[in-house]
Amino acid sequence: MTVRVRFAPSPTGMFHVGGARSALQNWIFAKQQGGVFVLRVEDTDAARNKPEWTEGILSALEWIGIARDTYEGPYFQSAYAGEHRAAAGRLYDAGRAYYCDCTREAVQARTGSQYQGYDGFCRDRGLPPGEGRALRFRTPDEGTTVVVDLIRGEPTFENKLIEDFVIARGDGSPVFLLANVVDDMTMGITHVIRAEEHLPNTPKQQLLWDALGVKPPVWAHVPVVVNEKRQKLSKRRDKVALEAYRDEGYLAAAMRNYLMLLGWAPSGDREIVPWSVIEEEFRLAEVNPSPAFFDEKKLRAFNGEYIRALPVDEFVAACRPWLTGTGTIAPPPWQPEEFDADAFAAVAPLAQTRIAVLSEIVPNVDFLFLADPLIDEAAWAKAMKEGAAELLDAAVAGYTALESWDAESLKSTLEAVGAERGLKLGKAQAPVRVAVTGRTVGLPLFESLEVLGRERTLARLRAARLRLV
């Protein structure tokens, strides 16, 4: 039997990092088993779906390494509406489902509670199909439904506690539970690997598989992803969009490595490992069922490690979207003609060790490409204290007299200027750094001045001096 797994997102907005983790787990499992990874877009809620969101799913999957030629699909759930209705008809004809005209208010009036489930009022009324009549599945009165789960063992559910649930609405359209089951049957899905939040639906879906005469798939419910307060990650509250991390400058390799650690770990005392190791060692049975904490600080640290491990030429290439404003990246504060690729290449090794996400490259190097630096007023107030004007005058004089414009000469000159005023280099360079770069922190100062050049450096020092008049 060929293993077939599926990832079935709904195109209702940005791509959730939890969904990305599920996609990776399904994809790796299929590869390990020599099976097939199926992408199915559950698009039946037309009011909430947009074509661009579907394209966003495909693009996000490709970004994290699931290329379009490595999976089957995408299929669209809306294309299988006929199969959904036919399955509902078979269940009704077999006596496994019945029509119900109860309103929610009527059920609440009979049960005296808005929290109690359906009371089975229409179970034996023998209502025929009709406008406004929902189709309910006839849940067995006795026995249990055992869900064999690769991660959670064998959760057992008493059938008498499962209400007769709706499988088709009053207009005849099937609900998610039935559509999902029929789609999996139609596509020959053998393993369903999905988030823990779907576990409460699983006994109902397994009952549907049984009633339709097909062996249920193997289930695996991976842990829910939570924030630092141990709350389930929410689009309304948390930063969860994979595209947002991509556009901020997280590397795909770092992101997918981190996502795979949400509930699982490779062998040994290590977390950052080659992707080939993850593909080889990942086992569903080893996934921890406890909630998995999505720690953005840890992800950021991961990303910094991956950035520092890049060959310099690859780092330069990775930074280009932020330096040129291409794709979905906002344009930088300089004009395209102001960007100097050679100047950036010269400082790239220095920047590579100092940033954790690629978007941070812009404030680190903007002083090289702008006609005038962007002055951080708080930094200016901190650096330009008493004696700063005289120090800038001396720095201009010393730098003007330099025969060789190189980092070592620039450093030794400013050291001498500071020593004459009883200042260590750290104190002496603060006014110079702010005058030239606009900030109190950044790339190594003297290497930066070397790349910026004599003329532009002296012009900025003089401009800062004039501002202090």
Side-chain angles (χ1 to χ4, degrees):
M1 177 187 69
T2 299
V3 166
R4 291 175 63 84
V5 300
R6 50 77 165 173
F7 176 60
S10 297
T12 56
M14 304 294 273
F15 193 39
H16 197 290
V17 291
R21 180 197 60 169
S22 293
L24 286 169
Q25 291 171 330
N26 275 278
W27 188 63
I28 289 177
F29 182 76
K31 289 186 68 175
Q32 290 176 337
Q33 304 298 319
V36 178
F37 174 85
V38 176
L39 175 63
R40 182 175 73 233
V41 179
E42 301 195 331
D43 63 337
T44 51
D45 188 349
R48 299 177 61 203
N49 296 333
K50 294 182 180 180
E52 58 266 31
W53 287 343
T54 295
E55 183 56 39
I57 291 171
L58 302 180
S59 175
L61 287 174
E62 188 146 7
W63 179 68
I64 57 171
I66 303 179
R68 299 193 188 192
D69 61 355
T70 64
Y71 56 81
E72 189 178 295
Y75 299 112
F76 294 87
Q77 190 173 67
S78 57
Y80 295 87
E83 285 85 347
H84 304 157
R85 290 178 180 268
R90 291 198 303 274
L91 290 170
Y92 174 70
D93 291 341
R96 302 303 301 271
Y98 60 91
Y99 283 97
C100 171
D101 62 1
C102 295
T103 63
R104 181 177 303 175
E105 292 75 17
V107 174
Q108 290 179 4
R110 288 196 302 269
T111 62
S113 170
Q114 61 178 319
Y115 303 108
Q116 186 169 329
Y118 180 65
D119 59 354
F121 180 78
C122 291
R123 205 173 221 242
D124 299 315
R125 292 177 65 197
L127 294 176
E131 184 177 351
R133 292 177 177 175
L135 186 63
R136 289 184 178 274
F137 182 76
R138 190 185 299 272
T139 303
D141 295 318
E142 300 177 348
T144 60
T145 296
V146 179
V147 175
V148 179
D149 192 296
L150 293 178
I151 296 172
R152 300 176 186 280
E154 297 185 358
T156 301
F157 303 83
E158 290 189 59
N159 292 334
K160 65 181 180 181
L161 299 180
I162 303 174
E163 68 176 8
D164 288 355
F165 52 93
V166 173
I167 58 175
R169 303 177 184 88
D171 61 2
S173 61
V175 301
F176 167 79
L177 283 173
L178 180 62
N180 192 266
V181 167
V182 173
D183 289 344
D184 285 346
M185 288 180 179
T186 303
M187 297 175 187
I189 301 304
T190 63
H191 294 69
V192 172
I193 305 166
R194 60 185 182 182
E196 174 189 357
E197 63 198 67
H198 295 288
L199 183 58
N201 288 329
T202 305
K204 298 178 181 179
Q205 291 182 315
Q206 185 157 310
L207 286 170
L208 288 172
W209 280 83
D210 292 337
L212 290 168
V214 183
K215 181 181 178 182
V218 176
W219 308 99
H221 288 89
V222 299
V224 66
V225 182
V226 298
N227 62 19
E228 60 185 3
K229 296 181 180 179
R230 297 307 187 265
Q231 300 167 320
K232 178 186 170 185
L233 284 187
S234 166
K235 290 182 179 181
R236 294 183 297 274
R237 181 185 57 239
D238 303 304
K239 181 179 173 183
V240 301
L242 189 70
E243 298 93 327
Y245 288 100
R246 177 193 64 193
D247 293 350
E248 190 177 338
Y250 283 84
L251 299 179
M255 176 60 79
R256 68 180 181 228
N257 186 160
Y258 182 71
L259 288 176
M260 288 301 296
L261 297 182
L262 296 177
W264 174 82
S267 61
D269 185 18
R270 54 185 181 164
E271 293 183 309
I272 297 178
V273 296
W275 184 246
S276 59
V277 172
I278 293 177
E279 286 190 320
E280 179 181 348
E281 293 191 0
F282 175 70
R283 296 292 183 271
L284 275 174
E286 296 175 0
V287 172
N288 189 324
S290 300
F293 172 34
F294 186 89
D295 186 345
E296 191 175 343
K297 292 180 180 178
K298 185 173 182 178
L299 170 61
R300 180 181 170 86
F302 258 60
N303 203 65
E305 292 288 336
Y306 271 87
I307 284 177
R308 289 186 285 278
L310 289 173
V312 175
D313 59 337
E314 291 185 20
F315 172 71
V316 169
C319 288
R320 284 197 67 84
W322 285 267
L323 300 172
T324 59
T326 56
T328 57
I329 307 303
W334 54 82
Q335 297 300 313
E337 64 273 11
E338 294 178 301
F339 176 66
D340 185 335
D342 291 336
F344 176 67
V347 300
L350 305 175
Q352 187 173 4
T353 64
R354 286 168 170 77
I355 66 174
V357 293
L358 295 175
S359 58
E360 292 176 346
I361 196 63
V362 173
N364 272 278
V365 302
D366 58 5
F367 72 94
L368 286 173
F369 311 123
L370 294 169
D372 300 299
L374 297 173
I375 301 295
D376 179 337
E377 294 302 329
W380 178 276
K382 182 178 180 180
M384 301 302 183
K385 296 180 179 179
E386 183 179 354
E390 292 74 15
L391 187 144
L392 291 176
D393 283 337
V396 168
Y399 285 167
T400 301
L402 279 180
E403 294 183 5
S404 177
W405 190 264
D406 58 78
E408 188 57 39
S409 300
L410 292 163
K411 178 182 178 182
S412 59
T413 297
L414 194 58
E415 278 182 321
V417 168
E420 291 172 0
R421 290 157 179 77
L423 299 174
K424 293 184 178 180
L425 182 59
K427 293 288 186 180
Q429 70 179 5
V432 174
R433 178 183 289 279
V434 173
V436 175
T437 72
R439 298 178 176 85
T440 54
V441 295
L443 305 185
L445 176 62
F446 304 108
E447 288 81 354
S448 297
L449 300 184
E450 180 179 340
V451 175
L452 186 65
R454 184 192 301 266
E455 182 179 341
R456 296 176 72 192
T457 297
L458 292 174
R460 292 183 183 189
L461 292 173
R462 291 179 179 125
R465 177 62 181 87
L466 286 175
R467 183 176 170 179
L468 291 173
V469 172

